[in-house]
Amino acid sequence: QVQLVEHGGRLVQAGGSLRLSCAASGRTFSSYTMAWFRQAPGKEREFVAGISWFGGNTYYADSVKGRFTISRDNANNTQYLQMNSLKPEDTAVYYCAASRTIVVVTTISSYAYWGQGTQVTVSS
């Protein structure tokens, strides 16, 4: 089992950058595929980016491709989401999630463990 805690969300101006982090408990963090999802007010939760357990495979939603970068540090049980060129439509609660799948998947049901979320607000 793994517990996840996100950090780094805040108010930022459009065009700015932000880095989210997700600290995981447990000794098996390196065996999980990790991902970031987000949920805007009145919308469904959506996949943002994912990274395989060994870090060699990453996948991004089209809406963030080229602007966001996901990474992980297995030695420190942490994953990150570097967000650049932020837009007002990126405003959402961002969630860290862990999956036992070998490759990155985008379906919510594939992720058994979730953090509590961190609010990112991008002002225009």
Side-chain angles (χ1 to χ4, degrees), residues 4-11 18-23 36-40 45 48 79 81 83 90-97 114-122:
L4 306 171
V5 179
E6 302 95 336
H7 298 283
R10 62 176 176 86
L11 173 66
L18 201 59
R19 189 174 83 155
L20 305 182
S21 63
C22 172
W36 290 94
F37 286 76
R38 67 185 182 187
Q39 188 166 16
R45 192 170 299 190
V48 175
Q79 77 153 344
L81 185 68
M83 304 186 292
D90 293 320
T91 295
V93 177
Y94 282 71
Y95 296 90
C96 173
W114 294 83
Q116 83 289 349
T118 186
Q119 176 70 48
V120 172
T121 303
V122 183

PDB file of all heavy atoms in Angstrom, residues 4-11 18-23 36-40 45 48 79 81 83 90-97 114-122:
ATOM      1  N   LEU A   4      -0.127   8.966  -0.553  1.00  0.00           N
ATOM      2  CA  LEU A   4       0.369  10.032  -1.419  1.00  0.00           C
ATOM      3  C   LEU A   4      -0.044  11.398  -0.876  1.00  0.00           C
ATOM      4  O   LEU A   4      -1.205  11.584  -0.486  1.00  0.00           O
ATOM      5  CB  LEU A   4      -0.184   9.855  -2.827  1.00  0.00           C
ATOM      6  CG  LEU A   4       0.055   8.483  -3.478  1.00  0.00           C
ATOM      7  CD1 LEU A   4      -0.729   8.371  -4.779  1.00  0.00           C
ATOM      8  CD2 LEU A   4       1.530   8.256  -3.711  1.00  0.00           C
ATOM      9  N   VAL A   5       0.902  12.343  -0.903  1.00  0.00           N
ATOM     10  CA  VAL A   5       0.610  13.705  -0.448  1.00  0.00           C
ATOM     11  C   VAL A   5       1.196  14.683  -1.465  1.00  0.00           C
ATOM     12  O   VAL A   5       2.397  14.671  -1.725  1.00  0.00           O
ATOM     13  CB  VAL A   5       1.217  13.981   0.936  1.00  0.00           C
ATOM     14  CG1 VAL A   5       0.906  15.410   1.361  1.00  0.00           C
ATOM     15  CG2 VAL A   5       0.678  12.992   1.962  1.00  0.00           C
ATOM     16  N   GLU A   6       0.320  15.515  -2.011  1.00  0.00           N
ATOM     17  CA  GLU A   6       0.754  16.493  -2.997  1.00  0.00           C
ATOM     18  C   GLU A   6       1.127  17.816  -2.341  1.00  0.00           C
ATOM     19  O   GLU A   6       0.565  18.189  -1.304  1.00  0.00           O
ATOM     20  CB  GLU A   6      -0.353  16.770  -4.028  1.00  0.00           C
ATOM     21  CG  GLU A   6      -0.851  15.562  -4.785  1.00  0.00           C
ATOM     22  CD  GLU A   6      -2.092  14.961  -4.160  1.00  0.00           C
ATOM     23  OE1 GLU A   6      -2.307  15.160  -2.951  1.00  0.00           O
ATOM     24  OE2 GLU A   6      -2.849  14.276  -4.865  1.00  0.00           O
ATOM     25  N   HIS A   7       2.034  18.529  -2.998  1.00  0.00           N
ATOM     26  CA  HIS A   7       2.438  19.860  -2.551  1.00  0.00           C
ATOM     27  C   HIS A   7       2.682  20.735  -3.774  1.00  0.00           C
ATOM     28  O   HIS A   7       2.978  20.233  -4.858  1.00  0.00           O
ATOM     29  CB  HIS A   7       3.733  19.791  -1.724  1.00  0.00           C
ATOM     30  CG  HIS A   7       3.623  19.007  -0.476  1.00  0.00           C
ATOM     31  ND1 HIS A   7       3.014  19.478   0.660  1.00  0.00           N
ATOM     32  CD2 HIS A   7       4.036  17.749  -0.190  1.00  0.00           C
ATOM     33  CE1 HIS A   7       3.071  18.559   1.593  1.00  0.00           C
ATOM     34  NE2 HIS A   7       3.674  17.495   1.117  1.00  0.00           N
ATOM     35  N   GLY A   8       2.583  22.052  -3.567  1.00  0.00           N
ATOM     36  CA  GLY A   8       3.016  22.974  -4.598  1.00  0.00           C
ATOM     37  C   GLY A   8       1.940  23.777  -5.291  1.00  0.00           C
ATOM     38  O   GLY A   8       2.258  24.712  -6.033  1.00  0.00           O
ATOM     39  N   GLY A   9       0.688  23.447  -5.086  1.00  0.00           N
ATOM     40  CA  GLY A   9      -0.350  24.198  -5.752  1.00  0.00           C
ATOM     41  C   GLY A   9      -0.488  25.602  -5.181  1.00  0.00           C
ATOM     42  O   GLY A   9      -0.324  25.824  -3.991  1.00  0.00           O
ATOM     43  N   ARG A  10      -0.777  26.558  -6.051  1.00  0.00           N
ATOM     44  CA  ARG A  10      -0.968  27.948  -5.623  1.00  0.00           C
ATOM     45  C   ARG A  10      -1.537  28.760  -6.765  1.00  0.00           C
ATOM     46  O   ARG A  10      -1.772  28.230  -7.852  1.00  0.00           O
ATOM     47  CB  ARG A  10       0.350  28.568  -5.149  1.00  0.00           C
ATOM     48  CG  ARG A  10       1.449  28.651  -6.212  1.00  0.00           C
ATOM     49  CD  ARG A  10       2.663  29.373  -5.657  1.00  0.00           C
ATOM     50  NE  ARG A  10       3.781  29.407  -6.604  1.00  0.00           N
ATOM     51  CZ  ARG A  10       3.918  30.330  -7.544  1.00  0.00           C
ATOM     52  NH1 ARG A  10       3.024  31.289  -7.672  1.00  0.00           N
ATOM     53  NH2 ARG A  10       4.979  30.294  -8.337  1.00  0.00           N
ATOM     54  N   LEU A  11      -1.723  30.039  -6.529  1.00  0.00           N
ATOM     55  CA  LEU A  11      -2.180  30.971  -7.553  1.00  0.00           C
ATOM     56  C   LEU A  11      -0.979  31.440  -8.361  1.00  0.00           C
ATOM     57  O   LEU A  11       0.040  31.843  -7.794  1.00  0.00           O
ATOM     58  CB  LEU A  11      -2.882  32.160  -6.897  1.00  0.00           C
ATOM     59  CG  LEU A  11      -3.286  33.320  -7.808  1.00  0.00           C
ATOM     60  CD1 LEU A  11      -4.361  32.868  -8.788  1.00  0.00           C
ATOM     61  CD2 LEU A  11      -3.787  34.488  -6.953  1.00  0.00           C
ATOM     62  N   LEU A  18       5.017  26.385 -12.561  1.00  0.00           N
ATOM     63  CA  LEU A  18       4.758  25.839 -11.242  1.00  0.00           C
ATOM     64  C   LEU A  18       5.245  24.401 -11.226  1.00  0.00           C
ATOM     65  O   LEU A  18       5.141  23.706 -12.249  1.00  0.00           O
ATOM     66  CB  LEU A  18       3.260  25.880 -10.959  1.00  0.00           C
ATOM     67  CG  LEU A  18       2.750  25.827  -9.525  1.00  0.00           C
ATOM     68  CD1 LEU A  18       3.307  26.984  -8.718  1.00  0.00           C
ATOM     69  CD2 LEU A  18       1.224  25.875  -9.526  1.00  0.00           C
ATOM     70  N   ARG A  19       5.772  23.955 -10.096  1.00  0.00           N
ATOM     71  CA  ARG A  19       6.160  22.557  -9.976  1.00  0.00           C
ATOM     72  C   ARG A  19       5.406  21.921  -8.817  1.00  0.00           C
ATOM     73  O   ARG A  19       5.505  22.377  -7.672  1.00  0.00           O
ATOM     74  CB  ARG A  19       7.656  22.383  -9.761  1.00  0.00           C
ATOM     75  CG  ARG A  19       8.075  20.919  -9.848  1.00  0.00           C
ATOM     76  CD  ARG A  19       9.572  20.720  -9.777  1.00  0.00           C
ATOM     77  NE  ARG A  19      10.065  20.718  -8.413  1.00  0.00           N
ATOM     78  CZ  ARG A  19      11.190  20.122  -8.023  1.00  0.00           C
ATOM     79  NH1 ARG A  19      11.926  19.478  -8.909  1.00  0.00           N
ATOM     80  NH2 ARG A  19      11.584  20.188  -6.766  1.00  0.00           N
ATOM     81  N   LEU A  20       4.675  20.889  -9.123  1.00  0.00           N
ATOM     82  CA  LEU A  20       3.990  20.111  -8.108  1.00  0.00           C
ATOM     83  C   LEU A  20       4.859  18.915  -7.721  1.00  0.00           C
ATOM     84  O   LEU A  20       5.594  18.380  -8.555  1.00  0.00           O
ATOM     85  CB  LEU A  20       2.646  19.604  -8.625  1.00  0.00           C
ATOM     86  CG  LEU A  20       1.668  20.642  -9.159  1.00  0.00           C
ATOM     87  CD1 LEU A  20       0.372  19.962  -9.591  1.00  0.00           C
ATOM     88  CD2 LEU A  20       1.398  21.728  -8.140  1.00  0.00           C
ATOM     89  N   SER A  21       4.748  18.523  -6.480  1.00  0.00           N
ATOM     90  CA  SER A  21       5.435  17.323  -6.031  1.00  0.00           C
ATOM     91  C   SER A  21       4.437  16.405  -5.329  1.00  0.00           C
ATOM     92  O   SER A  21       3.414  16.863  -4.816  1.00  0.00           O
ATOM     93  CB  SER A  21       6.597  17.656  -5.097  1.00  0.00           C
ATOM     94  OG  SER A  21       6.129  18.290  -3.924  1.00  0.00           O
ATOM     95  N   CYS A  22       4.773  15.144  -5.315  1.00  0.00           N
ATOM     96  CA  CYS A  22       3.938  14.136  -4.665  1.00  0.00           C
ATOM     97  C   CYS A  22       4.851  13.215  -3.881  1.00  0.00           C
ATOM     98  O   CYS A  22       5.658  12.485  -4.477  1.00  0.00           O
ATOM     99  CB  CYS A  22       3.148  13.369  -5.710  1.00  0.00           C
ATOM    100  SG  CYS A  22       2.252  11.940  -5.060  1.00  0.00           S
ATOM    101  N   ALA A  23       4.737  13.269  -2.579  1.00  0.00           N
ATOM    102  CA  ALA A  23       5.544  12.416  -1.713  1.00  0.00           C
ATOM    103  C   ALA A  23       4.776  11.146  -1.387  1.00  0.00           C
ATOM    104  O   ALA A  23       3.600  11.200  -1.014  1.00  0.00           O
ATOM    105  CB  ALA A  23       5.888  13.156  -0.434  1.00  0.00           C
ATOM    106  N   TRP A  36      -0.529  12.010 -12.813  1.00  0.00           N
ATOM    107  CA  TRP A  36      -1.226  13.201 -12.333  1.00  0.00           C
ATOM    108  C   TRP A  36      -2.555  13.286 -13.082  1.00  0.00           C
ATOM    109  O   TRP A  36      -2.602  13.117 -14.302  1.00  0.00           O
ATOM    110  CB  TRP A  36      -0.413  14.459 -12.601  1.00  0.00           C
ATOM    111  CG  TRP A  36       0.806  14.571 -11.758  1.00  0.00           C
ATOM    112  CD1 TRP A  36       2.074  14.170 -12.073  1.00  0.00           C
ATOM    113  CD2 TRP A  36       0.890  15.135 -10.444  1.00  0.00           C
ATOM    114  NE1 TRP A  36       2.943  14.439 -11.042  1.00  0.00           N
ATOM    115  CE2 TRP A  36       2.231  15.035 -10.029  1.00  0.00           C
ATOM    116  CE3 TRP A  36      -0.038  15.725  -9.577  1.00  0.00           C
ATOM    117  CZ2 TRP A  36       2.668  15.503  -8.780  1.00  0.00           C
ATOM    118  CZ3 TRP A  36       0.400  16.172  -8.338  1.00  0.00           C
ATOM    119  CH2 TRP A  36       1.734  16.058  -7.954  1.00  0.00           C
ATOM    120  N   PHE A  37      -3.601  13.556 -12.320  1.00  0.00           N
ATOM    121  CA  PHE A  37      -4.917  13.848 -12.862  1.00  0.00           C
ATOM    122  C   PHE A  37      -5.307  15.239 -12.375  1.00  0.00           C
ATOM    123  O   PHE A  37      -4.703  15.773 -11.445  1.00  0.00           O
ATOM    124  CB  PHE A  37      -5.948  12.829 -12.356  1.00  0.00           C
ATOM    125  CG  PHE A  37      -5.832  11.472 -12.992  1.00  0.00           C
ATOM    126  CD1 PHE A  37      -4.825  10.592 -12.613  1.00  0.00           C
ATOM    127  CD2 PHE A  37      -6.728  11.057 -13.960  1.00  0.00           C
ATOM    128  CE1 PHE A  37      -4.708   9.342 -13.188  1.00  0.00           C
ATOM    129  CE2 PHE A  37      -6.632   9.802 -14.538  1.00  0.00           C
ATOM    130  CZ  PHE A  37      -5.617   8.947 -14.150  1.00  0.00           C
ATOM    131  N   ARG A  38      -6.330  15.797 -12.974  1.00  0.00           N
ATOM    132  CA  ARG A  38      -6.853  17.080 -12.494  1.00  0.00           C
ATOM    133  C   ARG A  38      -8.358  17.122 -12.661  1.00  0.00           C
ATOM    134  O   ARG A  38      -8.920  16.424 -13.505  1.00  0.00           O
ATOM    135  CB  ARG A  38      -6.205  18.245 -13.236  1.00  0.00           C
ATOM    136  CG  ARG A  38      -6.554  18.348 -14.712  1.00  0.00           C
ATOM    137  CD  ARG A  38      -5.749  19.464 -15.375  1.00  0.00           C
ATOM    138  NE  ARG A  38      -6.083  19.622 -16.788  1.00  0.00           N
ATOM    139  CZ  ARG A  38      -5.435  20.427 -17.612  1.00  0.00           C
ATOM    140  NH1 ARG A  38      -4.417  21.175 -17.173  1.00  0.00           N
ATOM    141  NH2 ARG A  38      -5.789  20.516 -18.892  1.00  0.00           N
ATOM    142  N   GLN A  39      -8.966  17.946 -11.824  1.00  0.00           N
ATOM    143  CA  GLN A  39     -10.414  18.109 -11.888  1.00  0.00           C
ATOM    144  C   GLN A  39     -10.753  19.574 -11.704  1.00  0.00           C
ATOM    145  O   GLN A  39     -10.480  20.154 -10.648  1.00  0.00           O
ATOM    146  CB  GLN A  39     -11.105  17.260 -10.823  1.00  0.00           C
ATOM    147  CG  GLN A  39     -12.608  17.241 -10.957  1.00  0.00           C
ATOM    148  CD  GLN A  39     -13.245  16.154 -10.133  1.00  0.00           C
ATOM    149  OE1 GLN A  39     -12.630  15.581  -9.223  1.00  0.00           O
ATOM    150  NE2 GLN A  39     -14.485  15.807 -10.444  1.00  0.00           N
ATOM    151  N   ALA A  40     -11.351  20.151 -12.736  1.00  0.00           N
ATOM    152  CA  ALA A  40     -11.795  21.536 -12.693  1.00  0.00           C
ATOM    153  C   ALA A  40     -13.226  21.576 -12.174  1.00  0.00           C
ATOM    154  O   ALA A  40     -13.962  20.582 -12.269  1.00  0.00           O
ATOM    155  CB  ALA A  40     -11.708  22.142 -14.081  1.00  0.00           C
ATOM    156  N   ARG A  45     -12.882  14.363 -13.577  1.00  0.00           N
ATOM    157  CA  ARG A  45     -11.448  14.223 -13.390  1.00  0.00           C
ATOM    158  C   ARG A  45     -10.824  13.689 -14.679  1.00  0.00           C
ATOM    159  O   ARG A  45     -11.375  12.782 -15.298  1.00  0.00           O
ATOM    160  CB  ARG A  45     -11.165  13.274 -12.224  1.00  0.00           C
ATOM    161  CG  ARG A  45      -9.730  13.269 -11.764  1.00  0.00           C
ATOM    162  CD  ARG A  45      -9.571  12.493 -10.468  1.00  0.00           C
ATOM    163  NE  ARG A  45     -10.349  13.088  -9.383  1.00  0.00           N
ATOM    164  CZ  ARG A  45     -10.238  12.728  -8.108  1.00  0.00           C
ATOM    165  NH1 ARG A  45      -9.348  11.784  -7.765  1.00  0.00           N
ATOM    166  NH2 ARG A  45     -10.994  13.290  -7.196  1.00  0.00           N
ATOM    167  N   VAL A  48      -3.696  13.757 -16.844  1.00  0.00           N
ATOM    168  CA  VAL A  48      -2.795  14.815 -17.271  1.00  0.00           C
ATOM    169  C   VAL A  48      -1.478  14.231 -17.800  1.00  0.00           C
ATOM    170  O   VAL A  48      -1.056  14.530 -18.916  1.00  0.00           O
ATOM    171  CB  VAL A  48      -2.497  15.785 -16.111  1.00  0.00           C
ATOM    172  CG1 VAL A  48      -1.450  16.817 -16.527  1.00  0.00           C
ATOM    173  CG2 VAL A  48      -3.767  16.462 -15.638  1.00  0.00           C
ATOM    174  N   GLN A  79       7.353  12.062  -6.918  1.00  0.00           N
ATOM    175  CA  GLN A  79       7.165  12.360  -8.324  1.00  0.00           C
ATOM    176  C   GLN A  79       6.853  13.846  -8.460  1.00  0.00           C
ATOM    177  O   GLN A  79       6.419  14.498  -7.512  1.00  0.00           O
ATOM    178  CB  GLN A  79       6.065  11.508  -8.955  1.00  0.00           C
ATOM    179  CG  GLN A  79       4.651  11.910  -8.656  1.00  0.00           C
ATOM    180  CD  GLN A  79       3.677  11.502  -9.769  1.00  0.00           C
ATOM    181  OE1 GLN A  79       4.054  11.182 -10.894  1.00  0.00           O
ATOM    182  NE2 GLN A  79       2.404  11.493  -9.449  1.00  0.00           N
ATOM    183  N   LEU A  81       5.575  17.237 -11.211  1.00  0.00           N
ATOM    184  CA  LEU A  81       4.950  17.722 -12.431  1.00  0.00           C
ATOM    185  C   LEU A  81       5.395  19.164 -12.621  1.00  0.00           C
ATOM    186  O   LEU A  81       4.975  20.050 -11.882  1.00  0.00           O
ATOM    187  CB  LEU A  81       3.426  17.638 -12.368  1.00  0.00           C
ATOM    188  CG  LEU A  81       2.714  18.024 -13.664  1.00  0.00           C
ATOM    189  CD1 LEU A  81       2.997  16.982 -14.755  1.00  0.00           C
ATOM    190  CD2 LEU A  81       1.203  18.146 -13.438  1.00  0.00           C
ATOM    191  N   MET A  83       5.125  22.400 -14.640  1.00  0.00           N
ATOM    192  CA  MET A  83       4.112  22.996 -15.501  1.00  0.00           C
ATOM    193  C   MET A  83       4.592  24.357 -15.963  1.00  0.00           C
ATOM    194  O   MET A  83       4.828  25.256 -15.149  1.00  0.00           O
ATOM    195  CB  MET A  83       2.792  23.126 -14.740  1.00  0.00           C
ATOM    196  CG  MET A  83       2.288  21.808 -14.165  1.00  0.00           C
ATOM    197  SD  MET A  83       0.650  21.936 -13.411  1.00  0.00           S
ATOM    198  CE  MET A  83       1.017  22.947 -12.004  1.00  0.00           C
ATOM    199  N   ASP A  90      -5.897  25.599 -17.199  1.00  0.00           N
ATOM    200  CA  ASP A  90      -5.188  24.611 -16.388  1.00  0.00           C
ATOM    201  C   ASP A  90      -5.640  24.667 -14.927  1.00  0.00           C
ATOM    202  O   ASP A  90      -5.227  23.823 -14.112  1.00  0.00           O
ATOM    203  CB  ASP A  90      -3.681  24.855 -16.441  1.00  0.00           C
ATOM    204  CG  ASP A  90      -3.093  24.610 -17.820  1.00  0.00           C
ATOM    205  OD1 ASP A  90      -3.514  23.637 -18.482  1.00  0.00           O
ATOM    206  OD2 ASP A  90      -2.227  25.402 -18.247  1.00  0.00           O
ATOM    207  N   THR A  91      -6.465  25.628 -14.595  1.00  0.00           N
ATOM    208  CA  THR A  91      -6.969  25.744 -13.230  1.00  0.00           C
ATOM    209  C   THR A  91      -7.771  24.503 -12.839  1.00  0.00           C
ATOM    210  O   THR A  91      -8.696  24.105 -13.541  1.00  0.00           O
ATOM    211  CB  THR A  91      -7.858  26.992 -13.095  1.00  0.00           C
ATOM    212  OG1 THR A  91      -7.064  28.161 -13.298  1.00  0.00           O
ATOM    213  CG2 THR A  91      -8.507  27.050 -11.721  1.00  0.00           C
ATOM    214  N   ALA A  92      -7.359  23.884 -11.736  1.00  0.00           N
ATOM    215  CA  ALA A  92      -8.006  22.648 -11.290  1.00  0.00           C
ATOM    216  C   ALA A  92      -7.363  22.188  -9.996  1.00  0.00           C
ATOM    217  O   ALA A  92      -6.319  22.724  -9.587  1.00  0.00           O
ATOM    218  CB  ALA A  92      -7.860  21.548 -12.349  1.00  0.00           C
ATOM    219  N   VAL A  93      -7.979  21.204  -9.385  1.00  0.00           N
ATOM    220  CA  VAL A  93      -7.319  20.472  -8.311  1.00  0.00           C
ATOM    221  C   VAL A  93      -6.517  19.350  -8.968  1.00  0.00           C
ATOM    222  O   VAL A  93      -7.065  18.584  -9.769  1.00  0.00           O
ATOM    223  CB  VAL A  93      -8.332  19.900  -7.315  1.00  0.00           C
ATOM    224  CG1 VAL A  93      -7.603  19.072  -6.249  1.00  0.00           C
ATOM    225  CG2 VAL A  93      -9.134  21.018  -6.664  1.00  0.00           C
ATOM    226  N   TYR A  94      -5.252  19.271  -8.643  1.00  0.00           N
ATOM    227  CA  TYR A  94      -4.359  18.270  -9.239  1.00  0.00           C
ATOM    228  C   TYR A  94      -4.136  17.145  -8.239  1.00  0.00           C
ATOM    229  O   TYR A  94      -3.802  17.378  -7.080  1.00  0.00           O
ATOM    230  CB  TYR A  94      -3.036  18.913  -9.628  1.00  0.00           C
ATOM    231  CG  TYR A  94      -3.145  19.705 -10.908  1.00  0.00           C
ATOM    232  CD1 TYR A  94      -3.839  20.912 -10.942  1.00  0.00           C
ATOM    233  CD2 TYR A  94      -2.584  19.237 -12.097  1.00  0.00           C
ATOM    234  CE1 TYR A  94      -3.967  21.637 -12.119  1.00  0.00           C
ATOM    235  CE2 TYR A  94      -2.699  19.951 -13.284  1.00  0.00           C
ATOM    236  CZ  TYR A  94      -3.397  21.150 -13.279  1.00  0.00           C
ATOM    237  OH  TYR A  94      -3.527  21.861 -14.446  1.00  0.00           O
ATOM    238  N   TYR A  95      -4.309  15.917  -8.733  1.00  0.00           N
ATOM    239  CA  TYR A  95      -4.203  14.733  -7.895  1.00  0.00           C
ATOM    240  C   TYR A  95      -3.042  13.853  -8.364  1.00  0.00           C
ATOM    241  O   TYR A  95      -2.858  13.636  -9.559  1.00  0.00           O
ATOM    242  CB  TYR A  95      -5.475  13.907  -7.962  1.00  0.00           C
ATOM    243  CG  TYR A  95      -6.692  14.598  -7.410  1.00  0.00           C
ATOM    244  CD1 TYR A  95      -7.511  15.371  -8.229  1.00  0.00           C
ATOM    245  CD2 TYR A  95      -7.030  14.479  -6.053  1.00  0.00           C
ATOM    246  CE1 TYR A  95      -8.640  16.001  -7.724  1.00  0.00           C
ATOM    247  CE2 TYR A  95      -8.151  15.108  -5.542  1.00  0.00           C
ATOM    248  CZ  TYR A  95      -8.944  15.869  -6.389  1.00  0.00           C
ATOM    249  OH  TYR A  95     -10.068  16.492  -5.881  1.00  0.00           O
ATOM    250  N   CYS A  96      -2.341  13.317  -7.410  1.00  0.00           N
ATOM    251  CA  CYS A  96      -1.303  12.325  -7.648  1.00  0.00           C
ATOM    252  C   CYS A  96      -1.951  10.944  -7.491  1.00  0.00           C
ATOM    253  O   CYS A  96      -2.790  10.746  -6.612  1.00  0.00           O
ATOM    254  CB  CYS A  96      -0.222  12.533  -6.593  1.00  0.00           C
ATOM    255  SG  CYS A  96       1.079  11.303  -6.537  1.00  0.00           S
ATOM    256  N   ALA A  97      -1.565   9.999  -8.346  1.00  0.00           N
ATOM    257  CA  ALA A  97      -2.165   8.675  -8.291  1.00  0.00           C
ATOM    258  C   ALA A  97      -1.125   7.602  -8.591  1.00  0.00           C
ATOM    259  O   ALA A  97      -0.161   7.852  -9.328  1.00  0.00           O
ATOM    260  CB  ALA A  97      -3.318   8.577  -9.287  1.00  0.00           C
ATOM    261  N   TRP A 114      -4.636   7.390  -4.268  1.00  0.00           N
ATOM    262  CA  TRP A 114      -4.795   8.785  -4.632  1.00  0.00           C
ATOM    263  C   TRP A 114      -4.369   9.687  -3.485  1.00  0.00           C
ATOM    264  O   TRP A 114      -4.560   9.347  -2.315  1.00  0.00           O
ATOM    265  CB  TRP A 114      -6.250   9.088  -4.982  1.00  0.00           C
ATOM    266  CG  TRP A 114      -6.720   8.388  -6.209  1.00  0.00           C
ATOM    267  CD1 TRP A 114      -7.177   7.102  -6.298  1.00  0.00           C
ATOM    268  CD2 TRP A 114      -6.777   8.931  -7.530  1.00  0.00           C
ATOM    269  NE1 TRP A 114      -7.509   6.812  -7.610  1.00  0.00           N
ATOM    270  CE2 TRP A 114      -7.280   7.927  -8.378  1.00  0.00           C
ATOM    271  CE3 TRP A 114      -6.457  10.178  -8.089  1.00  0.00           C
ATOM    272  CZ2 TRP A 114      -7.464   8.109  -9.752  1.00  0.00           C
ATOM    273  CZ3 TRP A 114      -6.641  10.368  -9.441  1.00  0.00           C
ATOM    274  CH2 TRP A 114      -7.134   9.346 -10.263  1.00  0.00           C
ATOM    275  N   GLY A 115      -3.829  10.858  -3.846  1.00  0.00           N
ATOM    276  CA  GLY A 115      -3.586  11.879  -2.854  1.00  0.00           C
ATOM    277  C   GLY A 115      -4.840  12.708  -2.623  1.00  0.00           C
ATOM    278  O   GLY A 115      -5.876  12.465  -3.250  1.00  0.00           O
ATOM    279  N   GLN A 116      -4.723  13.693  -1.754  1.00  0.00           N
ATOM    280  CA  GLN A 116      -5.876  14.516  -1.394  1.00  0.00           C
ATOM    281  C   GLN A 116      -6.084  15.670  -2.365  1.00  0.00           C
ATOM    282  O   GLN A 116      -7.123  16.315  -2.352  1.00  0.00           O
ATOM    283  CB  GLN A 116      -5.715  15.068   0.035  1.00  0.00           C
ATOM    284  CG  GLN A 116      -4.870  16.325   0.153  1.00  0.00           C
ATOM    285  CD  GLN A 116      -3.386  16.098  -0.082  1.00  0.00           C
ATOM    286  OE1 GLN A 116      -2.926  14.951  -0.134  1.00  0.00           O
ATOM    287  NE2 GLN A 116      -2.622  17.172  -0.221  1.00  0.00           N
ATOM    288  N   GLY A 117      -5.096  15.945  -3.205  1.00  0.00           N
ATOM    289  CA  GLY A 117      -5.215  16.994  -4.202  1.00  0.00           C
ATOM    290  C   GLY A 117      -4.603  18.307  -3.753  1.00  0.00           C
ATOM    291  O   GLY A 117      -4.526  18.595  -2.556  1.00  0.00           O
ATOM    292  N   THR A 118      -4.168  19.099  -4.727  1.00  0.00           N
ATOM    293  CA  THR A 118      -3.619  20.417  -4.457  1.00  0.00           C
ATOM    294  C   THR A 118      -4.170  21.377  -5.508  1.00  0.00           C
ATOM    295  O   THR A 118      -4.232  21.047  -6.698  1.00  0.00           O
ATOM    296  CB  THR A 118      -2.083  20.407  -4.458  1.00  0.00           C
ATOM    297  OG1 THR A 118      -1.577  21.685  -4.061  1.00  0.00           O
ATOM    298  CG2 THR A 118      -1.496  20.054  -5.813  1.00  0.00           C
ATOM    299  N   GLN A 119      -4.602  22.551  -5.058  1.00  0.00           N
ATOM    300  CA  GLN A 119      -5.285  23.504  -5.937  1.00  0.00           C
ATOM    301  C   GLN A 119      -4.279  24.324  -6.732  1.00  0.00           C
ATOM    302  O   GLN A 119      -3.368  24.944  -6.163  1.00  0.00           O
ATOM    303  CB  GLN A 119      -6.165  24.439  -5.120  1.00  0.00           C
ATOM    304  CG  GLN A 119      -6.854  25.528  -5.932  1.00  0.00           C
ATOM    305  CD  GLN A 119      -7.938  24.987  -6.827  1.00  0.00           C
ATOM    306  OE1 GLN A 119      -8.786  24.211  -6.413  1.00  0.00           O
ATOM    307  NE2 GLN A 119      -7.920  25.407  -8.103  1.00  0.00           N
ATOM    308  N   VAL A 120      -4.473  24.339  -8.036  1.00  0.00           N
ATOM    309  CA  VAL A 120      -3.706  25.209  -8.930  1.00  0.00           C
ATOM    310  C   VAL A 120      -4.686  26.179  -9.568  1.00  0.00           C
ATOM    311  O   VAL A 120      -5.673  25.756 -10.187  1.00  0.00           O
ATOM    312  CB  VAL A 120      -2.978  24.396 -10.020  1.00  0.00           C
ATOM    313  CG1 VAL A 120      -2.346  25.337 -11.046  1.00  0.00           C
ATOM    314  CG2 VAL A 120      -1.924  23.494  -9.399  1.00  0.00           C
ATOM    315  N   THR A 121      -4.414  27.456  -9.427  1.00  0.00           N
ATOM    316  CA  THR A 121      -5.271  28.482 -10.005  1.00  0.00           C
ATOM    317  C   THR A 121      -4.416  29.380 -10.888  1.00  0.00           C
ATOM    318  O   THR A 121      -3.415  29.928 -10.433  1.00  0.00           O
ATOM    319  CB  THR A 121      -5.952  29.324  -8.926  1.00  0.00           C
ATOM    320  OG1 THR A 121      -6.701  28.469  -8.058  1.00  0.00           O
ATOM    321  CG2 THR A 121      -6.900  30.345  -9.554  1.00  0.00           C
ATOM    322  N   VAL A 122      -4.810  29.503 -12.148  1.00  0.00           N
ATOM    323  CA  VAL A 122      -4.070  30.315 -13.107  1.00  0.00           C
ATOM    324  C   VAL A 122      -4.936  31.520 -13.463  1.00  0.00           C
ATOM    325  O   VAL A 122      -6.028  31.366 -14.014  1.00  0.00           O
ATOM    326  CB  VAL A 122      -3.713  29.521 -14.371  1.00  0.00           C
ATOM    327  CG1 VAL A 122      -2.874  30.379 -15.308  1.00  0.00           C
ATOM    328  CG2 VAL A 122      -2.973  28.243 -14.002  1.00  0.00           C
TER     329      VAL A 122
END
